[in-house]
Each structure stands twice: as structure tokens, then as C-alpha cells.
Amino acid sequence: MNVHISPSILGADFSCLRDSVTETEKAGVDSIHFDIMDRHFVPNLTFGPMLMKALRGQTSLPFKVHLMTENPDIYVDECIENGASLITVHLEACVHLHRTLGYIREKGAQAGVAVNPSSSLSFLPYVADVIDEVLIMTVNPGFSGQKMITGAMGKINEAYELAKKLSISLNINVDGGINSETAKDAIARGANTLVMASAFYGSNDKANVVRQIKSIPLRND
Ligand code: DX5
Ligand code: ZN
């Protein structure tokens, strides 16, 4: 097993998205990450679930959604109908987190929870029965190309140890400032999934970026 790599389409060239998706798949990645932002929960506005519908026929890669929106529940059905296999909602945006995660699973997708750099993982034991992935944000959500907030990295170790203690199978995903260097630290701490926008789309040898990161051994203790 090696790390799962999920490039964020936000970093792609929007004037030729179909080609970007083909190029992304050729690089040997595992899924595509869709950053849906509503300019309320975060200060940026990107795209809605219809983008997944437009691109669904262009690749067989799984689509993973990162909802940076207020009231994330209203997007769940459409994201799944348009081909998403995992939906991640923000801890800070969910009033009834357990209910939302349960609903996502009921609809046939995997359920993820994203936590801002300033948020704690103390919620985890209380949703252990309905969570598939935790998304540890290492930038304040809203934009790609930001500098990593390294103070948030300790939560990767925490998530790894908590999952072990709770005996749950939990994917630990890290999003924000991931590149070939920062990936080493994230993986050593226990990440088994990584999101990348600028470091992936900014490279002209994407397959090599993927190969390099996939050669890093996963934590196994
Ligand atoms: C940030 C998004 C990220 C972003 C990552 O709010 O959630 O997925 O696109 O961008 P990089 O890899 O450039 O930090
Ligand atoms: Zn994201």
C-alpha cells in the first residue's frame, strides 16, 4: 500500500479542464479532489456540483468533494448524483455532524470531516461509527498556493493514534501546502491520503511528483 494522491482540480487550467483531467489521470493519481466554495464559509467562490457532472465522463478516477460551504447538507444529494464517491463536510459548518455523515453514507458515498487549522479532533470518537475520512487542513481553507501552517501537523499523529485506539479504519487526508517535501512529514505522522493543487499542477513532470511521493513508506505501528 502507498499513499493515495488526490490532486485538487482548483489548481488546474480552467480554460481546458477536459485535457487537465486526462493529464491528471495519466500521472498515476488515485482520485480528483473538488473544492466547492460558497464565499460564505470561505472568502472564495469556485464551482458547484455541476462541474463533476461535466467531467464525470472524462475519467474513471473517483471524485472526492471538499465542501467549504455553509449548510453543506444541501449539496450532498447533487454531488452524489453527479458522481462523487466521497463527500467531506467541515466540522465548523455542521450543526448535526453525526446526522450529516450518516446521511452521506445512507446515500451510498463515503463520509469525511474536514477540520480547520484552529479546530480540534475532539469530535472524532463521537462520530466513529459514521466517518470514513478525516481531512486535516494545513492552510486556512479558501485558496490554493498558500503556505502550510505547520502547527496543524500534530493533528495527523493525533488522528492516527485515535483511530488505532478506537479500532476504526480511518483515512487520514491532509490538505494545504503539500509538496514532495512536506509530504514526507505528513506521511511519517500517519497520513495515508494527500491533496495537492499547486505542487501538482505547477509541475511539468506530474508523474514524477506522484512517483516520488508514492515511494514514501506509510506509517505502520
Ligand atoms: C484550500 C483547498 C485545497 C487547495 C490546496 O482551501 O481545500 O484543496 O486547493 O491547494 P495547495 O495544494 O496549493 O495548498
Ligand atoms: Zn480541498
Side-chain angles (χ1 to χ4, degrees):
M1 277 287 277
N2 48 30
V3 74
H4 176 115
I5 297 184
S6 194
S8 161
I9 198 80
L10 195 56
D13 180 348
F14 271 58
S15 69
C16 52
L17 274 184
R18 191 209 313 241
D19 298 341
S20 298
V21 166
T22 307
E23 192 192 12
T24 303
E25 185 160 19
K26 276 202 190 127
V29 305
D30 303 284
S31 64
I32 298 182
H33 179 93
F34 285 79
D35 285 310
I36 297 184
M37 306 185 189
D38 68 351
R39 192 160 276 164
H40 290 273
F41 180 70
V42 289
N44 194 10
L45 180 68
T46 56
F47 44 78
M50 66 172 286
L51 184 65
M52 288 185 283
K53 191 175 187 179
L55 296 174
R56 191 54 290 182
Q58 307 301 325
T59 173
S60 56
L61 288 174
F63 285 176
K64 295 169 80 172
V65 181
H66 178 188
L67 286 174
M68 282 159 278
T69 65
E70 283 179 0
N71 198 4
D73 302 67
I74 62 172
Y75 302 92
V76 170
D77 286 350
E78 204 179 338
C79 286
I80 296 173
E81 279 157 24
N82 291 358
S85 51
L86 179 139
I87 314 274
T88 292
V89 294
H90 261 267
L91 169 69
E92 304 82 7
C94 281
V95 182
H96 302 289
L97 184 64
H98 190 279
R99 177 184 287 154
T100 300
L101 299 178
Y103 182 76
I104 293 170
R105 277 193 166 181
E106 238 175 73
K107 287 282 165 175
Q110 288 195 305
V113 180
V115 285
N116 283 339
S118 59
S119 295
S120 135
L121 292 182
S122 56
F123 72 94
L124 236 175
Y126 308 104
V127 295
D129 57 329
V130 280
I131 187 171
D132 297 290
E133 183 164 303
V134 64
L135 180 60
I136 295 170
M137 293 302 303
T138 42
V139 294
N140 288 308
F143 304 93
S144 57
Q146 303 183 81
K147 191 174 173 293
M148 179 181 261
I149 300 171
T150 50
M153 294 286 273
K155 272 185 278 181
I156 305 171
N157 306 65
E158 231 185 283
Y160 189 89
E161 280 140 33
L162 256 173
K164 204 169 146 191
K165 189 170 151 213
L166 296 163
S167 302
I168 55 167
S169 136
L170 178 73
N171 286 320
I172 301 173
N173 196 354
V174 183
D175 187 0
I178 293 290
N179 55 41
S180 313
E181 277 312 302
T182 53
K184 291 181 194 157
D185 189 18
I187 295 172
R189 289 172 183 273
N192 64 349
T193 302
L194 298 172
V195 174
M196 250 193 300
S198 43
F200 179 82
Y201 287 104
S203 164
N204 42 33
D205 193 353
K206 297 178 175 52
N208 190 44
V209 173
V210 172
R211 245 190 326 271
Q212 255 185 41
I213 296 180
K214 280 189 176 279
S215 72
I216 306 168
L218 290 183
R219 181 171 172 185
N220 179 29
D221 60 283

